[in-house]
Amino acid sequence: ARTLETTTRAVHEDLKRLYSWYKLDASIVVLPTGGQFDFRYFRLAAPQRSFFLISTDWLSTSNEAEMKNFLAQGLLNAAVRECRPFPTTTSSEIAVRGIAAHLSVKVEYLSSPYDLLFIKEGDEEGLAVGFNSFRKTLLKDSASPIAVSFPKFLKGETRNDSYYFGYQFAHRLLETFSVKEILDINIPEKFLPQLNDFISDEAVKPVPLSEIGS
């Protein structure tokens, strides 16, 4: 846990140097969770405090580059949420994780899009084939709180589908909005309609990861 906390603060400093908008006032807490979550950002209303929690359970077998990539995505996720009150629903969490994966490309801990999404290159064909099936599954649970649906969407093999889907949505979103615009985006009027349309549109086809830039 001490190593993880030290590495987290180093990644935090890297992100501050890389992104002028990056800011995270949350208290960083490292703890075992029994696999309940990998990382989580939340705020307390009274007193007004925010926390970025990191589970030690998820990183026990990671090498340094993998650990830094994981932490960068978690911190970027938290920073984006600190900029704007994105909903804590399942679909929103998957989407914000996709945005964080895109942003983590520039940190260059890992350069392969497969590594960024925690998948292997050979997994892409299967994920593309199952894209529409996953979309239908997500459609049923899109409004569920992520704290409840985390085991269904972000543990086991479905985690790959979730990251792949979120990355595809982020690619679509970043074709319309800049990162700065996303950080200032009107959630109900612009972000949620884009996300809901992406989830419900049966005509959406995934873009090959080799064709997606940062």
Side-chain angles (χ1 to χ4, degrees):
R2 285 193 293 271
T3 299
L4 185 54
E5 186 171 354
T6 300
T7 306
T8 301
R9 298 193 182 283
V11 172
H12 175 66
E13 293 300 319
D14 287 345
L15 293 173
K16 282 202 302 185
R17 286 191 290 270
L18 184 62
Y19 289 113
S20 60
W21 57 265
Y22 175 85
K23 180 182 180 183
L24 188 63
D25 292 328
S27 299
I28 298 173
V29 182
V30 177
L31 74 168
T33 67
Q36 293 298 309
F37 61 84
D38 48 2
F39 56 76
R40 184 168 296 170
Y41 171 82
F42 72 94
R43 297 187 191 200
L44 294 178
Q48 289 192 346
R49 290 190 64 189
S50 57
F51 296 86
F52 176 57
L53 309 182
I54 310 165
S55 172
T56 56
D57 313 345
W58 289 78
L59 293 169
S60 58
T61 60
S62 301
N63 61 40
E64 184 178 3
E66 292 169 340
M67 181 184 294
K68 285 186 171 182
N69 171 51
F70 174 89
L71 294 172
Q73 292 194 28
L75 288 166
L76 286 164
N77 182 307
V80 168
R81 287 189 172 279
E82 200 157 271
C83 287
R84 304 293 296 143
F86 286 87
T88 55
T89 59
T90 298
S91 58
S92 179
E93 177 64 21
I94 289 173
V96 175
R97 285 181 184 236
I99 294 168
H102 267 273
L103 295 174
S104 68
V105 172
K106 291 186 178 180
V107 193
E108 296 183 342
Y109 296 140
L110 296 170
S111 57
S112 164
Y114 309 103
D115 293 335
L116 292 172
L117 299 181
F118 311 102
I119 65 176
K120 297 177 182 178
E121 185 172 353
D123 295 336
E124 183 174 6
E125 183 178 353
L127 291 170
V129 170
F131 186 83
N132 196 48
S133 176
F134 176 80
R135 179 192 62 75
K136 292 178 180 178
T137 301
L138 180 59
L139 189 60
K140 295 177 183 178
D141 291 285
S142 60
S144 300
I146 187 61
V148 174
S149 60
F150 183 89
K152 182 175 182 178
F153 287 96
L154 288 166
K155 291 185 76 171
E157 292 183 3
T158 315
R159 183 178 175 87
N160 294 353
D161 294 281
S162 296
Y163 267 88
Y164 183 73
F165 191 90
Y167 197 69
Q168 293 288 337
F169 169 71
H171 171 62
R172 168 77 68 88
L173 191 69
L174 287 164
E175 286 187 321
T176 306
F177 302 100
S178 67
V179 173
K180 184 179 186 304
E181 287 171 331
I182 290 174
L183 298 175
D184 294 330
I185 200 168
N186 184 302
I187 305 295
E189 291 183 7
K190 294 185 178 180
F191 175 78
L192 290 180
Q194 291 258 350
L195 178 57
N196 293 335
D197 287 348
F198 189 82
I199 296 173
S200 59
D201 188 355
E202 295 185 11
V204 171
K205 302 296 182 186
V207 178
L209 295 179
S210 59
E211 297 179 15
I212 297 179
S214 61

